[in-house]
Amino acid sequence: MKQVHHQPVDLQEVAAGSEKAFKALFDQYRGRLFYYISRFIKSEQVAEELVLDVFMKIWTGRDLISQIHNFDAFLFRIAHNKSIDFLRTAARDPRLQELLYEVTDLAGTEGADTMLIVHEYEEKVRTAISLLPPQCKKVYTLSREEELSHDQIAQQLHISRATVNNHIVLAQRFIRNYLVKEIDIAIVILIIGKF
């Protein structure tokens, strides 16, 4: 099987648990990921932590690496999701919000980009939720927006706790797949502006 391009890091070695190969992977991508995440989040400290989070996720799920067809895209998708998760958490946490606003003010008008990204992301999530089957959508909404427990949802809708869990897993998978298809084009290009 001929290789299309030279792969500096052997992903199979990473998958097999080689710390040396993982360190090489980290060194290869760290700078690019930091730059990418910094476009979302204007705090160097937070961006650095999120880069480490991304690599922690890769390391803990390393046995699945062989199933990834485009590792670059996969890695940046994780970075994108971590950034959005952080921004969404910050939107609900006054202390984080304060920190973000201070840093965003220092960064000047680029803060508008960040808000645009979050807005775009929220729109895509809403669209994905609207496409869920009715019962699945109801369960997901009660869980995520009304923050009911699985037991409370089961009681309210007269279904089993296992059914609630299945609906939530299905909803998350559907939303994630929808975002992967939509967001890569709509937002990643918007952020990076170039490949």
Side-chain angles (χ1 to χ4, degrees), residues 82-113:
K82 291 268 180 205
S83 304
I84 294 294
D85 286 347
F86 175 81
L87 291 170
R88 295 187 84 192
T89 305
R92 291 194 292 266
D93 184 329
R95 282 168 306 135
L96 270 177
Q97 227 169 36
E98 233 167 84
L99 168 76
L100 262 187
Y101 283 137
E102 280 171 29
V103 179
T104 303
D105 283 346
L106 290 174
T109 56
E110 281 193 56
D113 293 347

Side-chain angles (χ1 to χ4, degrees), residues 24-178:
L25 187 74
F26 180 77
D27 292 340
Q28 182 185 330
Y29 282 100
R30 181 186 182 177
R32 283 167 63 201
L33 281 179
F34 177 77
Y35 173 74
Y36 177 73
I37 292 173
S38 297
R39 300 290 300 270
F40 288 92
I41 290 153
K42 311 301 177 196
S43 160
E44 286 192 9
Q45 188 186 344
V46 173
E48 195 67 57
E49 281 175 29
L50 291 178
V51 168
L52 294 176
D53 277 357
V54 170
F55 282 101
M56 186 60 71
K57 191 173 173 74
I58 293 295
W59 181 250
T60 54
R62 62 188 177 276
D63 48 333
L64 300 173
I65 283 178
S66 55
Q67 295 170 31
I68 299 162
H69 300 301
N70 185 340
F71 187 75
D72 256 49
F74 178 73
L75 199 60
F76 282 92
R77 190 177 303 141
I78 294 175
H80 176 267
N81 291 342
K82 291 268 180 205
S83 304
I84 294 294
D85 286 347
F86 175 81
L87 291 170
R88 295 187 84 192
T89 305
R92 291 194 292 266
D93 184 329
R95 282 168 306 135
L96 270 177
Q97 227 169 36
E98 233 167 84
L99 168 76
L100 262 187
Y101 283 137
E102 280 171 29
V103 179
T104 303
D105 283 346
L106 290 174
T109 56
E110 281 193 56
D113 293 347
T114 307
M115 296 324 291
L116 182 66
I117 294 152
V118 176
H119 178 69
E120 181 92 13
Y121 177 83
E122 298 283 3
E123 287 277 299
K124 299 287 182 197
V125 171
R126 275 196 294 275
T127 304
I129 292 170
S130 74
L131 296 171
L132 291 169
Q135 183 81 327
C136 193
K137 178 162 63 178
K138 198 179 290 180
V139 169
Y140 187 80
T141 305
L142 289 172
S143 169
R144 290 298 176 269
E145 291 174 20
E146 299 189 27
E147 297 183 356
L148 297 185
S149 70
H150 288 198
D151 288 328
Q152 289 170 318
I153 296 168
Q155 279 181 331
Q156 190 169 322
L157 299 179
H158 309 294
I159 54 178
S160 73
R161 195 178 187 285
T163 303
V164 170
N165 193 51
N166 288 342
H167 277 309
I168 288 172
V169 169
L170 283 171
Q172 285 173 328
R173 189 177 302 149
F174 176 83
I175 292 166
R176 193 160 48 238
N177 289 341
Y178 180 84

